[in-house]
Amino acid sequence: MFKKETEYALRGMVYIQLQNLKDRRPGVAEIAHEIEAPYFFTAKIFQRLAKQGFVKSMKGKGGGFFIEPEKKDLPLKELIIAIEGEELFVGCGFGLKNCDEENPCPLHHQYGMIRDQINKLVAGETIQSLAQNTLNKTLAFSRDTEK
Amino acid sequence: MFKKETEYALRGMVYIQLQNLKDRRPGVAEIAHEIEAPYFFTAKIFQRLAKQGFVKSMKGKGGGFFIEPEKKDLPLKELIIAIEGEELFVGCGFGLKNCDEENPCPLHHQYGMIRDQINKLVAGETIQSLAQNTLNKTLAFSRDTEK
DNA sequence: TTATTAAAAGACAAAAAGGTCTTTTAATAC
DNA sequence: GTATTAAAAGACCTTTTTGTCTTTTAATAA
């Protein structure tokens, strides 16, 4: 469904938020390890997210990543679109350019319902809501769970 | 959602089926043109599908592709899996290897519902049912519609 | 100010996806 | 048979995605 980059970004953002709630700022090494993503790839992804303002970072000793309070309630959708574009949210299941109500592809209505659900999900959930899910439900999304 | 290759395959299969219903066997050139896919790429895709038994082909004059009666009711899902594997139908939205009921990711339940819908759609529809959709609904899935 | 820590920047590389083209094989038409 | 038509086979290429690594910059600690 999502690209690897998007998956790593989502997992990493939730991990950062969870740590921030404990007043910690995890660094790339910690994030990559916990979300089971390659170190350098993780570094690159979060550099980009930092440049785009989704996270803040601090260099040097005690440095690491953190999410500003006003950003933690950003819908996942915006993060996803920033990474992989919006095809998933607007495209036709059949891949047709000009598929619409006037001119529907054979999957138009059925696929439309699924696409609407995807939209609803990622527009409704936020990094914060996922972090809360994790806290509430005796969690599970990373090595944390192995305890 | 789907790979380009899958989209072309779905569009092409439906087009072949529609033409078969008119007792025609379209060739690669015709298929590629009608579904707006690159000629050589389309050729490669249908060679593979022929090798896998999803379509039959005939060489030489009057040759082209056709779908055997017993194959036309094959669920889209089988075709899709043959092309791009089953990740879409089994994977975790978060990309976790061991995400399950015991150990759910923060998106587990919400994403699970979407994945179930996708499964239901592609398990329920067939090349034939899509062709019928097209015939019934004053169609639309290709250049045909430009009339 | 020097050492250390950690992110930023950016080059580089491997793998997968997407796409192109030439040659070969098999069918039909003559 | 020969010519023609059209798929099969397979080499090749381009772009995107995924991943790696080195060097630079900025922060803190001593």
Side-chain angles (χ1 to χ4, degrees):
Chain A
M1 165 95 16
F2 300 121
K3 290 207 245 178
K4 280 261 177 293
E5 190 177 340
T6 305
E7 290 178 357
Y8 295 155
L10 290 172
R11 304 220 293 267
M13 290 294 282
V14 173
Y15 181 75
I16 292 170
Q17 178 58 22
L18 281 168
Q19 294 307 307
N20 286 179
L21 291 172
K22 300 183 203 166
D23 286 314
R24 297 189 65 251
R25 286 192 299 256
V28 172
E30 178 179 335
I31 297 167
H33 181 252
E34 291 299 323
I35 69 173
E36 298 179 76
Y39 173 83
F40 289 115
F41 197 23
T42 304
K44 181 190 279 184
I45 290 168
F46 281 90
Q47 277 164 31
R48 271 199 285 251
L49 292 179
K51 217 182 293 184
Q52 294 175 99
F54 291 105
V55 277
K56 289 277 176 184
S57 66
M58 290 186 61
K59 285 182 172 183
K61 185 127 197 183
F65 292 86
F66 62 98
I67 299 171
E68 287 181 309
E70 72 265 30
K71 287 291 164 59
K72 70 188 205 309
D73 292 312
L74 211 73
L76 301 187
K77 189 171 176 179
E78 297 193 34
L79 184 62
I80 295 169
I81 287 178
I83 297 171
E84 61 179 33
E86 59 176 8
E87 296 84 42
L88 183 60
F89 307 121
V90 301
C92 160
F94 238 50
L96 296 178
K97 289 275 178 304
N98 32 19
C99 167
D100 55 32
E101 286 299 319
E102 303 285 283
N103 216 35
C105 79
L107 276 174
H108 190 71
H109 298 291
Q110 302 94 314
Y111 182 76
M113 284 170 54
I114 289 172
R115 201 184 42 218
D116 288 348
Q117 279 217 311
I118 296 173
N119 268 285
K120 202 181 292 179
L121 172 56
V122 297
E125 300 283 348
T126 67
I127 295 301
Q128 173 69 358
S129 72
L130 294 192
Q132 277 304 334
N133 272 356
T134 304
L135 285 179
N136 296 340
K137 308 192 176 186
T138 46
L139 56 113
F141 85 102
S142 76
R143 292 177 183 278
D144 265 350
T145 63
E146 291 171 16
K147 70 141 168 337
Chain B
M1 165 95 14
F2 300 121
K3 292 208 244 177
K4 279 262 176 296
E5 191 177 338
T6 304
E7 291 178 356
Y8 295 155
L10 290 172
R11 304 221 293 266
M13 289 294 282
V14 173
Y15 181 76
I16 292 169
Q17 178 58 20
L18 281 168
Q19 294 306 309
N20 287 178
L21 290 172
K22 301 184 203 167
D23 287 312
R24 297 189 64 252
R25 285 192 300 257
V28 173
E30 177 180 337
I31 297 168
H33 180 253
E34 292 298 325
I35 69 173
E36 298 179 76
Y39 173 83
F40 288 115
F41 197 22
T42 304
K44 182 190 278 185
I45 290 167
F46 280 90
Q47 277 164 32
R48 271 199 284 250
L49 292 179
K51 217 183 292 186
Q52 294 175 101
F54 291 105
V55 278
K56 290 277 176 184
S57 65
M58 290 187 62
K59 286 183 174 183
K61 186 129 196 184
F65 293 86
F66 62 99
I67 299 171
E68 286 182 310
E70 73 264 30
K71 287 291 164 61
K72 70 188 205 312
D73 292 312
L74 211 73
L76 301 186
K77 188 170 177 180
E78 298 192 35
L79 183 62
I80 295 168
I81 288 178
I83 296 170
E84 61 178 32
E86 59 175 9
E87 295 85 42
L88 183 61
F89 308 121
V90 301
C92 160
F94 238 50
L96 296 177
K97 289 275 177 306
N98 33 18
C99 167
D100 54 31
E101 286 300 318
E102 303 286 282
N103 216 36
C105 80
L107 276 174
H108 189 72
H109 298 292
Q110 302 95 313
Y111 183 76
M113 284 170 54
I114 288 172
R115 201 184 42 220
D116 288 348
Q117 280 216 313
I118 296 173
N119 268 285
K120 203 181 292 179
L121 172 56
V122 297
E125 300 282 349
T126 67
I127 296 300
Q128 173 69 359
S129 72
L130 294 192
Q132 277 304 333
N133 272 357
T134 304
L135 286 180
N136 297 340
K137 307 192 176 186
T138 46
L139 56 114
F141 84 103
S142 76
R143 292 178 184 278
D144 264 350
T145 63
E146 291 172 15
K147 68 140 170 341

